[in-house]
Amino acid sequence: MKQVISDLNYLFDFFKQRNKQLYIVGGAVRDMLLGKIPKDFDLTTDALPDEMTHWFDNVIDTGARFGTVGIVLPGGVYEITTFRRDLQYTDGRHPSSVIYTDDVHLDVMRRDFSVNALLMDGDGIVYDYVGGLADLNRGIIRAIGNPDDRFSEDKLRKWRCVRLAAEQAMVIDDETKASIQNDPDISGVSMERIQNEFCRVLIADKVTWGGYLLLKCNLIQFLFHERDVHFKNRDWRHSFLEAFEAMAFVPRHLETRLAMLLHSLEPDERELFLTVLKFSGRTRKQVLALCDRYQVNCNDIVDFKQTIAELGHGGFATLLSIQQGEAAWDDGSLKCEIVKKNKRIYAGIVERGDPIFARDLAVNGRDFVAAGYRGAQIKQGISAALSLVYRYPEYNNRDDLLSFIDSYAETLAEGEK
Ligand code: ATP
Ligand code: MG
């Protein structure tokens, strides 16, 4: 942070010497006023992009079309945007073009919410042209100007609004909220951007509040109704709300929380949900596996160990944290007892080093081939041997397993007759 402060001082001096205005704007001012450390600093100036590119050696062309230049200094990259006015929005996401201005007031008016439109100069003086300070004090997110107009210009702002409320524990002003509720359409916005906002809600400080707002504002419903998808669980909104509540009791981990959200859906619907939101193959796989194994219970030791094998130790720990979180949310002593027992059994398995994965077996694929297994039979044989040692770990030695392989080969042959 020390380096960042010295970089900022350098920039303020540098611009002042050239008779240019420079302000910190947006999330950084908001966060500082809330007593939080900003993750990055966006700046705004009346200097033109070409001027800045000319002045600095280390410049990244982050969004020159919209007047943003990234300046690389020892503490990081500082995005400096020239004061601008946005011309007509035609695609529901971007202005058709921008006009630079030397009037910071106009720049503030194009920003999304009043709490994101505060300016701070090099002396730490805050400038507020849109009632942002009052809204920040009362914890209100309010669109600047007419919310219907602002949301139809750039539909991503609807999701940004809810995400901001969840991250900052703020309420949405009534008129702003009603505007989203009445028109949750997001056409023109890429699903990757929506996914990004959705993930930020899922790992936000106030995830329960964020989930409630996503449903209240019809944003999640819209994604699916638009595709004519109707979940079989008619009560899915209620299940989602409960999941968003329980999420507050588990770590802020994306896959964990996605699995909690989706397990009340049918397997094909879960897949569809993740596909519509364009989650990566890796995330989809992890979340779907967690959902499939959601109810793991140590009363069936084979199933319990199979679950560890399938999810890996990391995934299994996630599953236990979900069970624990849901039990805490539910305040159900029976559930808490089950989780405690699951944890105890799992700790024992790890401590004893019970065989879990195929690589832990005292025999390997070659032993199966030597015993006459071919193709798919090998996989079948390995999973039968694993089931055996899951129940009786003491059989995990070559002699016992080789004789098991022989006798199981006969069972397979019988089955194929
Ligand atoms: P954080 O960095 O914590 O996500 P932020 O408010 O800094 O929050 P950025 O996406 O970095 O968000 O944007 C910086 C500023 O640019 C915002 O505070 C806001 O003033 C403006 N802004 C960003 N996106 C939009 C948008 N879609 N419409 C209007 N103004 C926007
Ligand atoms: Mg920012």
Side-chain angles (χ1 to χ4, degrees), residues 96-326:
S96 51
S97 66
V98 301
I99 292 187
Y100 299 129
T101 161
D102 55 7
D103 183 357
V104 71
H105 185 251
L106 291 177
D107 183 83
V108 160
M109 299 311 287
R110 69 155 179 101
R111 295 181 179 272
D112 47 8
F113 307 110
S114 65
V115 294
N116 278 352
L118 294 163
L119 301 158
M120 185 185 279
D121 70 12
D123 297 320
I125 297 171
V126 173
Y127 301 82
D128 174 16
Y129 298 111
V130 286
L133 280 174
D135 285 341
L136 197 63
N137 281 333
R138 284 181 296 165
I140 296 176
I141 301 174
R142 184 194 311 275
I144 296 172
N146 178 323
D148 291 348
D149 294 344
R150 304 314 308 282
F151 288 128
S152 67
E153 281 169 4
D154 176 357
K155 297 175 174 143
L156 179 66
R157 290 175 187 153
K158 299 170 190 179
W159 280 77
R160 278 177 64 86
C161 184
V162 170
R163 182 263 291 173
L164 201 56
E167 285 183 339
Q168 305 292 345
M170 289 186 182
V171 298
I172 304 177
D173 148 70
D174 284 345
E175 212 190 319
T176 302
K177 186 161 71 195
S179 173
I180 306 178
Q181 239 167 350
N182 294 337
D183 181 11
D185 173 49
I186 42 138
S187 49
V189 184
S190 79
M191 203 45 88
E192 286 81 359
R193 297 303 297 264
I194 300 292
Q195 187 216 99
N196 178 51
E197 300 298 332
F198 181 52
C199 291
R200 284 182 68 168
V201 172
L202 283 175
I203 57 167
D205 250 3
K206 298 286 172 200
V207 56
T208 309
W209 176 231
Y212 166 79
L213 286 174
L214 283 181
L215 290 164
K216 182 84 183 165
C217 294
N218 298 324
L219 288 174
I220 294 193
Q221 293 90 316
F222 181 81
L223 292 181
F224 294 91
H225 281 178
E226 200 204 13
R227 287 164 179 76
D228 208 22
V229 173
H230 301 280
F231 297 129
K232 288 193 196 79
N233 170 6
R234 301 250 308 265
D235 219 8
W236 68 272
R237 283 180 205 78
H238 184 247
S239 305
F240 271 27
L241 275 177
E242 288 196 339
F244 279 118
E245 282 180 15
M247 282 178 209
F249 294 83
V250 301
R252 292 167 56 176
H253 176 252
L254 182 68
E255 284 79 9
T256 306
R257 292 183 169 188
L258 272 172
M260 294 172 81
L261 185 69
L262 299 187
H263 92 278
S264 62
L265 300 179
E266 300 284 325
D268 56 331
E269 295 171 341
R270 291 172 196 151
E271 176 113 45
L272 183 76
F273 189 103
L274 295 166
T275 312
V276 166
L277 274 148
K278 295 225 158 108
F279 278 100
S280 68
R282 190 165 168 269
T283 304
R284 287 214 298 266
K285 204 170 149 212
Q286 277 182 26
V287 172
L288 295 175
L290 283 167
C291 288
D292 282 347
R293 291 293 184 172
Y294 214 75
Q295 306 298 349
V296 69
N297 184 335
C298 59
N299 290 332
D300 179 346
I301 196 66
V302 173
D303 184 62
F304 195 81
K305 290 181 174 175
Q306 251 163 14
T307 305
I308 306 174
E310 204 161 296
L311 299 180
H313 286 291
F316 195 79
T318 299
L319 199 57
L320 290 178
S321 80
I322 293 179
Q323 289 193 338
Q324 182 167 355
E326 291 195 336

Side-chain angles (χ1 to χ4, degrees), residues 46-76:
D46 55 347
L48 294 171
D50 284 349
E51 288 178 293
M52 292 189 272
T53 322
H54 182 68
W55 290 334
F56 294 93
D57 293 334
N58 247 336
V59 170
I60 304 178
D61 190 352
T62 41
R65 194 156 80 88
F66 299 108
T68 303
V69 167
I71 298 188
V72 188
L73 292 177

